Amino acid sequence: GFGSLDGGNYATLNAQTTKDHVFDTNKIIGQIRELTPLIPGGDLQVAGEGGGGSGTPIDYALQGPDDQLDVAANKVVAFLKATPGAVNVESGLQTGGPRLNITIDQGKAALLGVSPSSAASVARMGVGGAVATKVRTSNGLVDVRVQLPAQDRNSIDVIRSMRVRAADGSMIPLSSIATFSNTVAPTKVSRLNRERVVNVTGGLLPGYSLGQVAGPLQRKFAEPGFLPPGVHLEEQGDTQLQSETFSNMGLAFLMSIMLVYMLMVILYGSFIEPIIVIVSVPMAIIGALFALSIAHAFDTNGAQSLNLLSFIGMIMLCGLVAKNGILLVDYSDTLVKRGMRVHDAVLAAAQTRFRPIVMTTFAMVFGMLPLALGFAEGAEWRQAMGTVIIGGLLSSLILTLFLVPMIYNTWIGYFERVKDRKAVREEMTPVPTPVTA
């Protein structure tokens, strides 16, 4: 199938919900998980569309020495299984198979005159066989493989009794120069950057975001001694995508604010007035996060969280909410140029621009409602964008009408007061009487 497991003792089953139950996917998955007791000694993993296989949200690659990887992977798996919201947690070590290790005693082999390579060849031929010759057939040359019968190849006693020819021609049993032990080995060895890697993967329960599960694990990784010496971590899949998205979107958010500021500097011909407008952006972010937290509390899919779409919504807010501050500051400047005092001008501007600000804000809010409600099939993954924009617009509407006029009156009024004091000093300064000869 399309899963990430290898081995013989697993099976997959795919199912689709009927059209009248498309919104009950998470409920059906929960009911199937309750069937685990029907598989004694087994592990039942259930995932919705987009989960399981290579699309697992939680995906970490552990790299380091072979003797430490097993310990590290087991610790990470145990921690994830104890973390609320994580499900279907597994590691690449769980797909291991039985292996027989044959260790040649160098001292005994040298004493009996047996070459270790000859002993290894005998053991290998007994289990896997060896090509003795080739036979020409109508289809070409065919290998002739010599090996033990099938019932003997899986018997340790038969392999222990196999004999190796010594230097003096005598036949020495393998058991005389080697020790035998049963271990578990991976069915495949994966490598990343030329190092052996063990992948730890997992899914998310409905209503949980990737940050709620990956956050505690990241803090645990930062603790000294959690990972054995020499073992380091590489994020993969959605976990890596989330880290890259947060850093890239944070940079894009800062650049959008800078571009808006630079544009307004050119338009206003001032470095101070654009800052007054930019103050409305943090007001919008407060409302966006508050709306997202409320929506997340009632969300059953975990889509209402800080993700790629909600970050895109915040970047859009930089341009949407700046228009409220622009309307206030621009009209206040116009009234000041007409001769009004700064305090009176900003009050008049807030009163005059109140209706356009409310109309444009509610027009955008109602335009985003279909996106935020997400009634269409599969639209729940885009709801976060609509929620962020609506929350940011509403908070900007309320807070900007108070904060921007206050800051404008404080900063621009400061320069007005400086001019007033200068004018008073000039007026109070006595004019020297001209001296006549």
Side-chain angles (χ1 to χ4, degrees), residues 316-317 319-324 327 356-372 385-394 396-397:
M316 293 173 62
L317 281 175
L320 294 176
V321 303
K323 57 92 181 173
N324 294 343
L327 288 173
I357 289 175
V358 171
M359 291 174 61
T360 54
T361 299
F362 276 99
M364 287 186 285
V365 167
F366 281 101
M368 284 294 169
L369 271 180
L371 182 63
M385 181 188 295
T387 303
V388 163
I389 294 177
I390 290 177
L393 288 173
L394 292 178
S396 175
L397 170 65

Side-chain angles (χ1 to χ4, degrees), residues 114-133:
V114 177
S115 170
S117 60
S118 300
S121 299
V122 169
R124 191 179 301 112
M125 284 188 291
V127 178
V131 177
T133 184

Side-chain angles (χ1 to χ4, degrees), residues 49-69:
E49 186 177 3
S54 59
T56 51
I58 305 170
D59 193 345
Y60 292 97
L62 298 172
Q63 295 177 282
D66 291 351
D67 57 340
Q68 298 292 341
L69 277 180

Side-chain angles (χ1 to χ4, degrees), residues 25 129 197 249 253 264 280 282 297 343 360 363 382 385:
T25 303
V197 63
M249 284 297 170
F253 180 75
M264 287 190 293
S280 59
H343 180 75
T360 54
R382 300 188 295 271
M385 181 188 295

